[in-house]
Amino acid sequence: MLIGRLAQLTIRRSIHVSSKLTQSMTIDGNTILAESLKKQGVEYVFGIVGIPVIETSLAFQSVGLKFIGMRNEQAACYAAQAIGYLTGKPGVCLAVSGPGLLHCIGGMANAQVNCWPLVVIAGSCPEDHEGIGGFQEWPQVDSSRLYCKYTARPPSARLIPLHVERAVRLASVGRPGVSYLDMPGTLLMSQVEEDKVQLDFYSADPVKLGHPDPALVSQAAELLSRAERPLVIVGKGAGHARAENEITKLIENTKLPFLPTPMGKGVVPDESQYCVSSARTQALLKADVILLLGARLNWMLHFGQVPRFAPDVKVIQVDISPEEFHNSIKSELPVHADIKPFTAALINKLAEKKFSLQPTNNNWWQTLREKQKANAEFFEAQANDKSVPLNYFAVFKTVQATISRDSIIVSEGANTMDIGRGILLNNKPRHRLDAGTFGTMGVGPGFAIAAALWCRDYAPNKRVICVEGDSAFGFSGMEIETMVRYRLPIIIIIVNNNGIYGGFDKETMQELQSAGDLTQCIPPTSLGTEVRYEKMMEMFGEAGHFCRTVEEIEVAVKKAITVTDRPSIINIAISPQSNRKPQAFNWLTESKL
């Protein structure tokens, strides 16, 4: 039956003979949808097929779209949004009706909160079955509205191109986000006359960058030049804006200290002498003027509030979305503009003032350097401790020393992600993908698949390193089969501490398991001890790597780097009690209520 469907799709346009013996070309909804996406510049589609979108996926391939079949709709949605962030053009997630779409909701919410461009398309119950208990019937358009910028069900196949154009455009412009298109089976299979379908429904010119008010640029330059303790915070919005050249020039010209947010890493190289990530707490607490570029004052930056920030701090907030201004504090200077033209204009204004901090004789820089030195001493002591079981710092120092500096780092997990952020460096923009603003677990394998596809097509000598906590890996671990099927050379490193935040060693777990009712005795944060995740590679006739020592990690990573046609799994057993450096404040700012 499937071969018959393939044959039908090979001849996508049929000839309809009317009673008057006139002929007109007809085209079905699947082909209209595929052609429309292609004409809007979409390149990648991730998904899981079934009724009613099997023919849809085949139509996508027939017009040249790259279709990647995944194992879970959430992972497909994560991959589609990551490819959107990496390329600047929305990826598409294709799902079946009902449960298929509902499985995408977590990914849609993540993309919307993360501000990444994504288009989700789901098949749905045939329209003539609605209201009478159709197969997988669900109010899909209504269910998606909370998680999207745009939701629609085209009323006819003829209007599919209009809604595709709008979905792609709205997912991309302004603050990026999610569009959802609902495609009933009856709509996908319907036939319409081709000359009545506007397949070339307009592709608008790219939206021109929003330039800042020159007066606001002058005020920003004045605030920064008069500040005693200025700080620049670079967010992932700067990466999405492709503003790395301008921001790097700003930092190098002015020698301002800068602090990247997790996915703002690499917009200016982490190895820059002006990066103060290792003195993050001190920089936030003492800065008197902060220039905020593409970052939001949400939980990740402690809302810009005391006690993590100075009570009198002045914030210059540059954002494409004016709705973001004054959300948690009153910004001293809100600037509605794209980051690139604002930064370019600011460089010129500060140059006119001949403004530049000199780290060698500036009190602010000396304060930051002292804190960096103290934190570096703690890090070195931990990282040089090679005793077994290993700690996080020793693991990450070994990995960092073995991989290329321009690798794309995908990371998720609690301590795995947080500690690794300070040690696994990024010197290029959009080269770190992690749980992000929504703190979503399970994103890693999907993000890594998208990154590996991007590398294959645009940067073939680059590698993807997917660093997972053992708990995080459990969410989407079966996507390893997707990586094998598409021959993606992703290096998966599982930092295994037997739990969520931390677990127990084998002896303690055995004692717990013998103490009585397991549902009462096993703590909710604990997982199995030294689970041999690397043996998943044996399902595909390959061997993984299990490591306990620094030397074993070095050998495993070096060997994995030589593999270019399949993934590798490196499972590293560490101490269940290993933790981050003690903090002056709780890492998550507590509610004041």
Side-chain angles (χ1 to χ4, degrees):
M1 182 179 292
L2 183 57
I3 293 175
R5 289 176 176 173
L6 280 165
Q8 291 174 8
L9 281 164
T10 302
I11 307 173
R12 300 195 314 273
R13 295 175 176 82
S14 61
I15 303 295
H16 171 71
V17 182
S18 70
S19 58
K20 295 182 180 180
L21 299 180
T22 61
Q23 293 182 337
S24 62
M25 299 290 289
T26 63
I27 186 171
D28 67 9
N30 283 311
T31 303
I32 296 171
L33 177 59
E35 295 276 14
S36 300
L37 290 168
K38 184 73 173 177
K39 288 182 182 296
Q40 294 303 323
V42 169
E43 188 174 359
Y44 300 91
V45 181
F46 302 82
I48 299 178
V49 300
I51 296 172
V53 296
I54 295 173
E55 289 86 354
T56 311
S57 63
L58 296 170
F60 286 174
Q61 288 183 317
S62 72
V63 302
L65 296 176
K66 298 174 182 177
F67 186 88
I68 301 91
M70 305 283 285
R71 299 305 300 266
N72 178 282
E73 285 94 352
Q74 277 195 14
C77 210
Y78 297 143
Q81 63 194 258
I83 206 72
Y85 177 64
L86 291 168
T87 64
K89 195 72 171 179
V92 169
C93 178
L94 179 68
V96 300
S97 51
L101 174 66
L102 290 172
H103 289 168
C104 291
I105 292 295
M108 294 163 72
N110 188 72
Q112 187 72 359
V113 173
N114 233 19
C115 306
W116 282 1
L118 168 70
V119 175
V120 175
I121 299 172
S124 59
C125 171
E127 292 164 293
D128 55 336
H129 291 181
E130 290 182 337
I132 57 174
F135 175 66
Q136 296 184 330
E137 180 181 356
W138 188 255
Q140 297 182 186
V141 175
D142 290 340
S143 296
S144 301
R145 285 199 174 101
L146 281 174
Y147 315 100
C148 296
K149 292 176 68 177
Y150 177 68
T151 60
R153 172 189 285 184
S156 70
R158 184 176 63 83
L159 293 176
I160 288 174
L162 181 152
H163 289 281
V164 167
E165 185 279 333
R166 187 169 175 80
V168 172
R169 175 162 48 88
L170 293 186
S172 306
V173 298
R175 173 171 286 176
V178 186
S179 294
Y180 172 66
L181 293 177
D182 194 63
M183 295 287 168
T186 41
L187 181 67
L188 292 170
M189 299 304 294
S190 63
Q191 298 273 343
V192 296
E193 294 180 15
E194 186 174 11
D195 58 6
K196 293 183 179 179
V197 179
Q198 296 183 41
L199 281 174
D200 286 317
F201 194 86
Y202 76 88
S203 293
D205 293 332
V207 176
K208 293 184 178 180
L209 295 179
H211 284 250
D213 181 339
L216 297 181
V217 177
S218 296
Q219 290 179 48
E222 187 69 15
L223 280 170
L224 285 168
S225 63
R226 291 191 175 189
E228 293 182 4
R229 300 177 301 280
L231 177 69
V232 179
I233 298 179
V234 182
K236 71 173 177 290
H240 181 80
R242 271 60 180 172
E244 54 266 20
N245 292 337
E246 289 78 8
I247 297 176
T248 299
K249 184 177 180 181
L250 171 69
I251 298 299
E252 290 179 347
N253 285 6
T254 62
K255 301 176 176 55
L256 284 164
F258 78 93
L259 183 68
T261 64
M263 279 191 277
K265 285 163 59 69
V267 171
V268 183
D270 279 348
E271 292 185 300
S272 166
Q273 61 180 312
Y274 308 116
C275 179
V276 294
S277 290
S278 58
R280 182 181 190 272
T281 299
Q282 186 83 348
L284 295 178
L285 181 62
K286 298 297 184 181
D288 60 352
V289 174
I290 292 176
L291 172 61
L292 199 64
L293 297 174
R296 291 172 282 178
L297 291 174
N298 54 23
W299 69 272
M300 297 184 80
L301 286 173
H302 316 289
F303 314 107
Q305 298 175 353
V306 295
R308 302 302 294 266
F309 287 72
D312 56 350
V313 64
K314 295 178 173 59
V315 177
I316 304 164
Q317 189 174 11
V318 185
D319 206 290
I320 190 61
S321 175
E323 292 83 359
E324 192 60 37
F325 299 143
H326 313 304
N327 274 353
S328 54
I329 63 169
K330 183 179 183 298
S331 297
E332 180 75 15
L333 185 63
V335 182
H336 183 209
D338 280 282
I339 294 170
K340 287 182 71 169
F342 170 83
T343 307
L346 181 63
I347 290 169
N348 293 334
K349 281 295 177 184
L350 290 173
E352 291 175 6
K353 294 177 175 291
K354 296 182 171 38
F355 171 75
S356 178
L357 293 182
Q358 296 300 323
T360 54
N361 57 11
N362 178 270
N363 290 335
W364 175 225
W365 263 117
Q366 296 200 11
T367 299
L368 294 172
R369 292 292 192 230
E370 289 171 6
K371 192 64 176 178
Q372 286 179 303
K373 181 181 178 183
N375 287 340
E377 289 172 354
F378 171 86
F379 160 72
E380 287 299 327
Q382 294 292 309
N384 292 332
D385 179 3
K386 299 180 181 180
S387 59
V388 175
L390 293 169
N391 65 63
Y392 284 102
F393 297 87
V395 169
F396 291 133
K397 180 181 180 181
T398 306
V399 172
Q400 174 66 21
T402 313
I403 63 175
S404 170
R405 285 292 198 271
D406 70 347
S407 299
I408 294 181
I409 306 294
V410 178
S411 184
E412 63 171 332
N415 292 332
T416 298
M417 181 174 65
D418 293 338
I419 298 172
R421 181 180 299 145
I423 306 172
L424 300 176
L425 303 179
N426 297 99
N427 285 335
K428 294 190 176 181
R430 299 170 295 281
H431 277 51
R432 181 182 170 91
L433 308 174
D434 68 20
T437 310
F438 212 28
T440 307
M441 292 295 105
V443 297
F447 283 3
I449 287 168
L453 289 165
W454 181 84
C455 289
R456 175 182 290 177
D457 292 341
Y458 296 102
N461 295 322
K462 200 178 293 291
R463 295 303 295 270
V464 177
I465 316 296
C466 182
V467 185
E468 299 274 301
D470 52 333
S471 170
F473 182 70
F475 284 81
S476 305
M478 272 312 299
E479 295 301 336
I480 187 72
E481 189 276 328
T482 307
M483 299 175 192
V484 171
R485 189 169 7 117
Y486 289 97
R487 298 183 176 180
L488 300 174
I490 297 163
I491 300 174
I492 300 174
I493 297 175
I494 301 171
V495 185
N496 190 346
N497 71 346
N498 306 337
I500 303 169
Y501 301 107
F504 298 97
D505 58 39
K506 187 173 294 186
E507 292 75 19
T508 304
M509 178 57 78
Q510 288 174 346
E511 290 178 13
L512 290 168
Q513 290 174 323
S514 63
D517 184 346
L518 299 184
T519 64
Q520 296 290 306
C521 298
I522 298 178
T525 56
S526 62
L527 299 172
T529 58
E530 291 193 1
V531 176
R532 299 298 295 271
Y533 299 106
E534 82 285 353
K535 289 185 176 290
M536 292 177 72
M537 290 305 301
E538 294 178 9
M539 297 188 295
F540 312 103
E542 304 293 341
H545 307 271
F546 182 71
C547 304
R548 295 183 189 275
T549 68
V550 163
E551 292 75 19
E552 289 170 342
I553 296 171
E554 289 174 344
V555 170
V557 175
K558 287 177 181 177
K559 186 173 181 180
I561 288 172
T562 67
V563 177
T564 58
D565 63 349
R566 63 184 182 277
S568 303
I569 298 180
I570 302 171
N571 183 16
I572 304 173
I574 70 166
S575 168
Q577 282 74 49
S578 180
N579 210 325
R580 71 184 85 201
K581 179 179 181 288
Q583 301 291 308
F585 299 95
N586 289 331
W587 70 271
L588 182 62
T589 302
E590 295 179 356
S591 171
K592 304 296 190 298
L593 299 178

